[in-house]
Each structure stands twice: as structure tokens, then as C-alpha cells.
Amino acid sequence: QFQLVESGGGLVQPGGSLRLSCTASSFSRFTLTYYAIGWFRQAPGKEREGVLCISRSGDSTIYADSVKGRFTISRDNAANTVYLQMNTLKPEDTANYYCAAHSPGCTDYLHLWHYWGQGTQVTVSS
């Protein structure tokens, strides 16, 4: 079974940085190389929204205008990991962050994403 695992969340002050990681679970035979990987977030009382996506070839797509110039996505195929680098964090970035995999490519239709992780909490507060 293909499962994703997120890590790297935590409490950070406004203006700070965090790097989230997304990898396949240790018992999974799948590699992330064959999938587009997206990062999504969901704040309390709000719908889940797309943040960034990286294609199998490494091209990135921004879904949330609010993260332009602050967040970047990258992948390390050798490490079987996709990263979300978050800089200049703001309180409104507080959310549970999820990664997801979609074989055909990046899409902003959430229902098409096949595999999801359990999420990692990011809290931006002083």
C-alpha cells in the first residue's frame, strides 16, 4: 500500500522558516519519482486548499497566490523525498499541511489526488 508521511511541522514565530518533508512510508514499495506531488493545507474551519505542486519532471505549480515569493517546492529523487520550504511565515499560514500524490501530473482538483499523508501541523505565532 502506498502511504505518504509528512514531517517537519511545528511552532514558529512570524517571519521564521520551516521545511516540510514528504516521503513514502518505510514499508511502501513505491517511489515518489513516478508521481506529481502536491502540498495542501487546511486551517480550522476552512476548506483544504492547494499550496504548491511539483511534477515528475520537476516543474512547479503554485496554487496559492499568498505563498508566492515565500514558499518553494523541490524534490530529491535519490532520497525519495519532496520538500516544501516555507520562508517569511505569517500567522495566516497556520494549518495542517498535507502532501499528496497523483500519477498523471499536477492538478488543482483535490478529488483527483490519489494518495494522501496524515498531515503535519504548522503553527505560526509569537
Side-chain angles (χ1 to χ4, degrees):
Q1 185 178 358
F2 185 28
Q3 290 189 345
L4 297 170
V5 179
E6 303 95 338
S7 62
L11 174 63
V12 62
Q13 292 187 343
S17 298
L18 281 175
R19 189 178 75 163
L20 306 184
S21 299
C22 173
T23 190
S25 61
S26 58
F27 56 84
S28 173
R29 298 185 295 129
F30 290 87
T31 64
L32 302 187
T33 305
Y34 304 117
Y35 296 85
I37 303 297
W39 281 99
F40 302 81
R41 65 186 181 184
Q42 188 167 19
K46 294 187 177 182
E47 294 185 353
R48 190 171 298 187
E49 65 170 352
V51 179
L52 281 161
C53 175
I54 188 164
S55 69
R56 290 176 291 181
S57 62
D59 296 324
S60 62
T61 301
I62 297 177
Y63 293 134
D65 288 342
S66 62
V67 307
K68 284 182 179 178
R70 300 189 299 122
F71 291 12
T72 57
I73 190 170
S74 61
R75 65 192 312 156
D76 182 342
N77 291 332
N80 201 30
T81 302
V82 170
Y83 301 102
L84 180 67
Q85 179 67 44
M86 306 186 295
N87 299 327
T88 320
L89 282 160
K90 303 176 181 180
E92 50 264 43
D93 295 318
T94 295
N96 205 5
Y97 283 72
Y98 301 86
C99 65
H102 182 53
S103 179
C106 293
T107 176
D108 52 0
Y109 292 101
L110 266 64
H111 69 279
L112 295 179
W113 289 84
H114 301 139
Y115 307 103
W116 292 84
Q118 295 300 308
T120 184
Q121 178 66 36
V122 172
T123 303
V124 185
S125 175
S126 55

